[in-house]
Amino acid sequence: MSPPDLPPLFCPFPAQEHPRLRQLEEEALARWACQLETPTRHVDLEKLCRGHFPLLLGHAHPTVPPERLGAALDFLIWNFSWNDQMGEVPPVWLQEQSWLALAVLQGATPARDAPPSLWLLRDIRERLLGSMPRAWRERFIQSCQSYFRGTIREARVRSERLCLDVSSYVELRRLSAGTSLVFTQMEALEGFFLPEDILAHPTLVQLMYTATDVMAWANDLFSLERDLRDEFHPNLVLSLRLERTLSLDRAVHAAAEMHDTAVRRFLVQERALPSFGAHDAAVSRLVLGLRRWIRANLDWSQVTGRYPRTATSQCSRVA
């Protein structure tokens, strides 16, 4: 089934590109060419090129020196690769492998017969977490755990052939979208660290939830053509179609309206943030990072080879 045309999505944040994006891409491809097994190298590298992952990270962090982005970029690529590998496995197997991956991130050494992806993750962990403050490392591990829980729950939904109501879907997507990973990494990459009590402030929690919704719902729209191959694949459009008894075209437009409303809600929430005293400068950097990630996700979604081209023919409108 072919989806209707994707409406243009509202995004008032300016697009920014890392000035050394080509270098980021070339260095990432060189690193991964050494990691991939020879029999699958051509196919995997071709898929990696089409993914345009350096563009996503480069647009989200346009002012960070490229040498500081390498480990984060490898972890981003690893996550997408892991998601592809685990996309069709039974939930029990996914859960087992996910907790093994979490153990590696916590410092465990993979078993000798462990999949190559876990050994690769061990190397990425050393570069990603080695010099970071303990409190930040613990928070990053917690964000990884939340992400794995979300992907496991999504696998169970598919396995049980469920179509979630919109509220349940939104709750699940906030876990499986993985934004907690990149929002936590943002601090390390941009060079600021916020205390736990500041990050737990309700206004910041809600702002990050809204940014997550914006990014997740945009991805749902861009990936819809792929997701329609499995009618029980979790997707906002499919939940809207079932809950509101909509045609597919009307469900797509309803999802786009939800996206645009969430962007406007982000702007309202941003303006309503209170003062955090000595932490105001760091909070401002966090908010700027959220804005950049929202825009980077939208720009990347329109060019990545992970989504069918017919779903990405429309450009975003900029307020």
Side-chain angles (χ1 to χ4, degrees), residues 18 24 31 57-58 61 64-74 189:
H18 200 288
L24 280 172
R31 287 193 303 272
L57 199 67
H61 299 283
V64 174
E67 58 272 15
R68 286 170 54 188
L69 291 176
L73 179 55
D74 285 348
L189 293 175

Side-chain angles (χ1 to χ4, degrees), residues 1-4 6 9 80 83-84 154 169 173 215-231 233-238 248 252 255 297-298 300-313:
M1 179 188 301
S2 297
L6 174 62
L9 300 177
F80 278 104
N83 189 269
D84 289 343
E154 277 201 358
Y169 174 71
R173 197 72 171 97
M215 293 169 62
W217 301 345
N219 284 148
D220 282 356
L221 286 161
F222 284 109
S223 67
L224 178 60
E225 183 172 344
R226 183 188 65 188
D227 294 348
L228 281 171
R229 299 166 190 167
D230 175 6
E231 61 179 318
H233 193 291
N235 187 296
L236 176 63
V237 174
L238 304 183
L248 185 60
V252 166
N297 178 68
L298 191 58
W300 171 77
S301 295
Q302 294 177 93
V303 300
T304 179
R306 294 180 63 82
Y307 304 142
R309 295 265 54 86
T310 53
T312 60
S313 58

Side-chain angles (χ1 to χ4, degrees), residues 75-293:
F75 186 62
L76 182 71
I77 294 171
W78 184 90
N79 265 290
F80 278 104
S81 175
W82 177 264
N83 189 269
D84 289 343
Q85 292 178 52
M86 299 294 155
E88 302 299 328
V89 302
V92 173
W93 173 255
L94 173 61
Q95 178 172 314
E96 177 183 329
Q97 295 301 307
S98 296
W99 297 148
L100 287 174
L102 185 65
V104 170
L105 286 167
Q106 291 171 319
T109 298
R112 287 189 176 183
D113 59 347
S117 57
L118 290 183
W119 286 97
L120 179 57
L121 181 60
R122 185 196 65 166
D123 296 335
I124 294 174
R125 175 199 71 201
E126 295 302 319
R127 296 162 51 216
L128 193 66
L129 306 182
S131 61
M132 291 295 105
R134 179 178 177 179
W136 181 89
R137 292 201 307 267
E138 291 176 351
R139 186 151 46 83
F140 181 76
I141 295 299
Q142 289 173 359
S143 70
C144 292
Q145 186 176 41
S146 296
Y147 167 69
F148 286 138
R149 283 176 175 163
T151 57
I152 293 166
R153 285 175 58 186
E154 277 201 358
R156 288 173 179 159
V157 167
R158 293 197 305 272
S159 176
E160 295 171 13
R161 299 178 65 79
L162 301 175
C163 186
L164 300 177
D165 61 81
V166 173
S167 178
S168 299
Y169 174 71
V170 169
E171 179 184 356
L172 170 58
R173 197 72 171 97
R174 285 178 175 177
L175 293 175
S176 66
T179 53
S180 60
L181 299 177
V182 296
F183 294 167
T184 303
Q185 273 192 327
M186 181 197 307
E187 294 178 67
L189 293 175
E190 299 289 345
F192 68 92
F193 296 97
L194 284 164
E196 296 291 333
D197 60 323
I198 299 297
L199 288 167
H201 193 280
T203 58
L204 280 182
V205 171
Q206 287 303 314
L207 189 70
M208 287 188 277
Y209 276 154
T210 302
T212 294
D213 292 342
V214 171
M215 293 169 62
W217 301 345
N219 284 148
D220 282 356
L221 286 161
F222 284 109
S223 67
L224 178 60
E225 183 172 344
R226 183 188 65 188
D227 294 348
L228 281 171
R229 299 166 190 167
D230 175 6
E231 61 179 318
F232 296 101
H233 193 291
N235 187 296
L236 176 63
V237 174
L238 304 183
S239 289
L240 284 166
R241 181 176 64 169
L242 178 67
E243 181 173 294
R244 302 183 186 178
T245 320
L246 301 175
S247 67
L248 185 60
D249 181 72
R250 291 185 65 187
V252 166
H253 281 79
E257 288 175 5
M258 284 183 63
H259 169 278
D260 291 358
T261 299
V263 174
R264 294 186 176 93
R265 183 164 62 250
F266 181 93
L267 295 172
V268 171
Q269 292 172 339
E270 176 189 35
R271 289 194 294 269
L273 287 175
S275 172
F276 294 92
H279 302 289
D280 278 350
V283 169
S284 294
R285 296 180 71 181
L286 173 65
V287 173
L288 175 61
L290 297 177
R291 284 169 155 253
R292 285 173 169 171
W293 264 105

